[in-house]
Amino acid sequence: MQAPGSETQPVIVTRALRLSYGPHEALHGIDLTVRRGLITGLIGPSGCGKSTLLRCFNRINERYDNVTTSGEVMIHARNIYDPDVDLIELRKSVGMVFQRPNPLPISVRDNVLYGFRLHTASKQRNRETEGCELESALRAVQLWDDLKDRLGERATHLQLEQQQKLCIARLLPLKPSVILMDEPCSTLDPNATEAVEELMRTLAGPYTIVVVTHNMAQARRISDECVFMLLGEIVEHRRTEDIFIAPHDKRTADYIEGRFG
Amino acid sequence: MNAALPFSTTDVTRTNRRRESIVRALLGIVTALLVLPLLAILALLVKHGAPALTLDFLLSSPAAGMTAGGIFPAIVGTLWLVGVSLAIAAPIGVLAAIYLNEYAGDHWGTRIVNLAIVNLAGVPSIVHALFGVGAFVLFLHLGTSILSASLTLAIMTLPVIIASTKEALAAVPMSFRQACWVLGASRWQTIRYVVLPNSIQGILTGVILQVSRAAGETAPVMFTGAAFYLPFLPQSVNDQCMALSMHLFTLSTQVPGVPEALPYATALVLVGLVMSVNLTSILLRSYLRSRRRW
């Protein structure tokens, strides 16, 4: 599934990334390269630090008290922990989707346009540009046909699958290059999961996706590369088919085969 | 024997069930009793006060050395005091609560502020009154005036407004805020477009409930701005005024020969005023709820 030539284009590169919650170190020196246009899956048992690592990529960890980070996270060849990095610009470029869909309790239209309105000067916004952004974002997540007559409806009343797709759609008007997903299907039923996975496949390419998942089968279905983490370290990072068919490390093999976790 | 059949009641089950119904009845009775004092107070006030409660009573000044006439200046005075004190306390309290809940982190500085707020809420109203005399009447040379009394009431209601506003803000789900963070919203944008619209009902309720408290307090206004008797209505915040609570105290204890119905009717008006404010807050909340587009 890898796009030819993409191997040479890293989007996220971490070097000796360490993160502590108070005195407790959760990431012990992570060196990871995430490549452009791929879906990279982060797998591992609970508490291994995969969500923590994901939250380093848009620095949302810092909203929680008592977090200290060291090392480098290069995104588009810029260390995002540099003091003069603008967090707002970073978050526009690196979007995030959560475990539980969290649309705001406003209309479908206002949800999709929320970020766009925050970051676009009011002079450059009018009914046309907004309509354009709205339609293309909803089309990109395959919701346009379902929701085009229900744009005024409150987003929290939609089905969970639609809510999660909406949470992806609202990132798109900000023109992100990376989308981080923290177990995006764990509250969805199998049909909805399939729909969201299919959507992720269509978004990969133009967008670089990093997805945390507990679900081995899902990691295998959707990811191009897989990163197996254990106790705050990366054990193995290879192409998904390789890691599942012939893992190098015994711990990876044990986890994949369900001997622990 | 019954005992041999499956699912038959045993002795232990029977005892448990009896206990269950006793506890349930006890809790229910205690809860029901809570309504009694309110009903009793209202009944008493209506019984003794209703005969004196006429339109003339509401719209005229006290006469004949307080033993006749109405309470109009006291009503007007209470409205002044409550209005001015809220105009001071509500914005300061809400803004401080927004800062404490949304901006300030958890460190020794904010802990001291929070401790101060909690303790300020526990200071008895008579102490607030003395502080008001010292700080506003004497030190700031505001004299005994509506302004001094309202500032004193504001200091008294502030901690509760801050606490209830913080509670309302904290009740906004974390997931709404996260949605804003990942879209690159600034803190103020998050507050303005997500936190406030989803907490305004709770904030207003907290603020309005303090109206009733400010209207009923006697001690803080007694030395700072409320007068025993004034033949004229206040023209500005620099004037003194009469107040319902103070007037009630005066009628009940300070003046001989007051007909029994007068203090009761005054109390009835005060309670009625407070209740109608609370009713307004309920109506305002349901109006806000229906008006929201979401």
Side-chain angles (χ1 to χ4, degrees):
Chain A
M1 290 203 186
Q2 277 177 2
S6 62
E7 293 84 347
T8 52
Q9 297 187 0
V11 171
I12 306 176
V13 179
T14 75
R15 283 189 211 118
L17 174 64
R18 287 174 181 275
L19 181 144
S20 306
Y21 295 111
H24 169 72
E25 192 176 85
L27 297 178
H28 314 298
I30 300 287
D31 294 294
L32 172 68
T33 301
V34 174
R35 284 183 293 173
R36 185 186 300 271
L38 302 190
I39 299 183
T40 301
L42 300 181
I43 60 172
S46 297
C48 71
K50 51 193 193 305
S51 291
T52 300
L53 178 60
L54 191 76
R55 291 200 295 256
C56 286
F57 299 152
N58 64 351
R59 290 182 57 180
I60 205 176
N61 272 329
E62 290 162 39
R63 286 288 178 130
Y64 306 94
D65 282 338
N66 237 338
V67 172
T68 45
T69 316
S70 70
E72 281 185 350
V73 178
M74 310 291 291
I75 297 185
H76 298 306
R78 170 97 204 256
N79 182 8
I80 60 165
Y81 283 87
D82 272 351
D84 57 342
V85 160
D86 187 333
L87 275 187
I88 290 174
E89 291 303 318
L90 172 67
R91 298 213 172 111
K92 279 166 66 181
S93 172
V94 182
M96 188 175 228
V97 177
F98 295 89
Q99 210 167 353
R100 178 165 283 282
N102 62 345
L104 293 168
I106 46 183
S107 70
V108 170
R109 178 189 290 108
D110 292 341
N111 262 284
V112 177
L113 293 173
Y114 184 78
F116 178 73
R117 287 170 178 162
L118 291 180
H119 301 297
T120 313
S122 50
K123 278 178 223 149
Q124 285 151 29
R125 274 186 350 230
N126 54 46
R127 199 171 279 265
E128 272 164 55
T129 55
E130 290 196 343
C132 241
E133 292 291 342
L134 179 66
E135 182 170 344
S136 70
L138 285 177
R139 279 196 191 283
V141 299
Q142 298 146 12
L143 277 182
W144 177 251
D145 292 331
D146 289 346
L147 296 185
K148 65 174 182 242
D149 301 320
R150 299 162 60 190
L151 296 172
E153 207 168 295
R154 206 169 153 162
T156 40
H157 293 167
L158 300 176
Q159 296 158 9
L160 277 182
E161 173 193 332
Q162 295 174 324
Q163 289 189 20
Q164 194 62 303
K165 286 179 169 177
L166 190 70
C167 290
I168 298 172
R170 70 181 172 194
L171 303 173
L172 304 184
L174 302 180
K175 314 276 181 272
S177 54
V178 179
I179 298 178
L180 309 172
M181 300 188 172
D182 193 352
E183 302 196 35
C185 301
S186 63
T187 59
L188 304 182
D189 66 47
N191 287 333
T193 299
E194 194 185 341
V196 171
E197 287 178 359
E198 195 190 307
L199 171 61
M200 289 167 69
R201 291 281 7 149
T202 64
L203 293 174
Y207 303 99
T208 303
I209 298 177
V210 185
V211 55
V212 164
T213 177
H214 251 110
N215 180 336
M216 285 305 101
Q218 179 177 59
R220 204 169 177 163
R221 282 195 300 270
I222 57 171
S223 67
D224 301 299
E225 293 192 352
C226 245
V227 179
F228 173 61
M229 293 182 68
L230 196 59
L231 302 170
E233 286 172 349
I234 291 181
V235 174
E236 196 164 346
H237 172 198
R238 291 161 65 211
R239 281 162 38 113
T240 301
E241 51 254 57
D242 298 340
I243 210 170
F244 277 96
I245 292 167
H248 281 175
D249 196 289
K250 182 164 183 312
R251 291 168 294 175
T252 316
D254 286 349
Y255 182 70
I256 288 169
E257 284 162 31
R259 261 175 244 143
F260 74 97
Chain B
M1 281 294 287
N2 267 349
L5 284 173
F7 316 128
S8 321
T9 308
T10 64
D11 287 345
V12 178
T13 319
R14 213 167 286 128
T15 317
N16 286 346
R17 196 170 294 152
R18 201 175 319 121
R19 258 184 222 150
E20 174 66 25
S21 48
I22 292 173
V23 169
R24 191 196 169 98
L26 192 71
L27 296 177
I29 289 168
V30 170
T31 310
L33 283 179
L34 288 175
V35 191
L36 275 186
L38 178 67
L39 291 180
I41 290 171
L42 279 181
L44 188 75
L45 292 183
V46 170
K47 178 168 176 276
H48 294 284
L53 194 61
T54 58
L55 198 60
D56 192 47
F57 176 74
L58 293 177
L59 295 181
S60 64
S61 289
M66 312 281 257
T67 57
I71 54 168
F72 186 63
I75 295 178
V76 172
T78 291
L79 293 179
W80 268 94
L81 291 172
V82 169
V84 176
S85 70
L86 270 190
I88 299 164
I92 296 177
V94 171
L95 294 179
I98 291 177
Y99 179 78
L100 286 172
N101 200 65
E102 304 294 325
Y103 286 89
D106 182 27
H107 51 81
W108 65 268
T110 50
R111 265 178 242 157
I112 287 177
V113 173
N114 280 317
L115 197 66
I117 293 168
V118 171
N119 282 298
L120 197 60
V123 171
S125 59
I126 186 70
V127 178
H128 281 292
L130 292 176
F131 171 76
V133 173
F136 305 127
V137 178
L138 301 176
F139 184 71
L140 292 181
H141 298 293
L142 297 175
T144 47
S145 61
I146 290 178
L147 190 57
S148 292
S150 297
L151 281 166
T152 311
L153 285 176
I155 298 276
M156 192 190 73
T157 49
L158 252 179
V160 190
I161 290 181
I162 293 176
S164 63
T165 304
K166 270 173 69 185
E167 217 164 281
L169 294 173
V172 175
M174 204 58 186
S175 64
F176 292 0
R177 295 168 205 266
Q178 286 174 334
C180 290
W181 301 347
V182 299
L183 290 169
S186 67
R187 280 190 201 246
W188 173 244
Q189 285 171 327
T190 307
I191 294 165
R192 169 70 187 78
Y193 297 112
V194 172
V195 177
L196 283 183
N198 286 289
S199 58
I200 191 71
Q201 299 174 23
I203 293 174
L204 281 179
T205 310
V207 169
I208 291 176
L209 283 180
Q210 286 311 296
V211 170
S212 19
R213 189 144 157 261
E217 281 291 347
T218 316
V221 299
M222 198 161 171
F223 310 125
T224 52
F228 182 81
Y229 172 71
L230 283 178
F232 54 85
L233 293 177
Q235 303 302 310
S236 78
V237 291
N238 297 317
D239 290 339
Q240 292 189 54
C241 65
M242 293 182 72
L244 280 173
S245 54
M246 170 87 176
H247 189 61
L248 181 57
F249 169 74
T250 310
L251 287 184
S252 326
T253 62
Q254 307 293 302
V255 187
V258 176
E260 193 202 49
L262 281 192
Y264 280 107
T266 308
L268 192 58
V269 171
L270 182 54
V271 171
L273 201 69
V274 166
M275 283 184 154
S276 53
V277 167
N278 291 351
L279 187 70
T280 316
S281 92
I282 294 170
L283 292 179
L284 188 66
R285 276 163 63 196
S286 61
Y287 168 72
L288 282 175
R289 199 173 300 159
S290 69
R291 207 191 62 131
R292 288 201 313 181
R293 283 169 301 129
W294 47 65

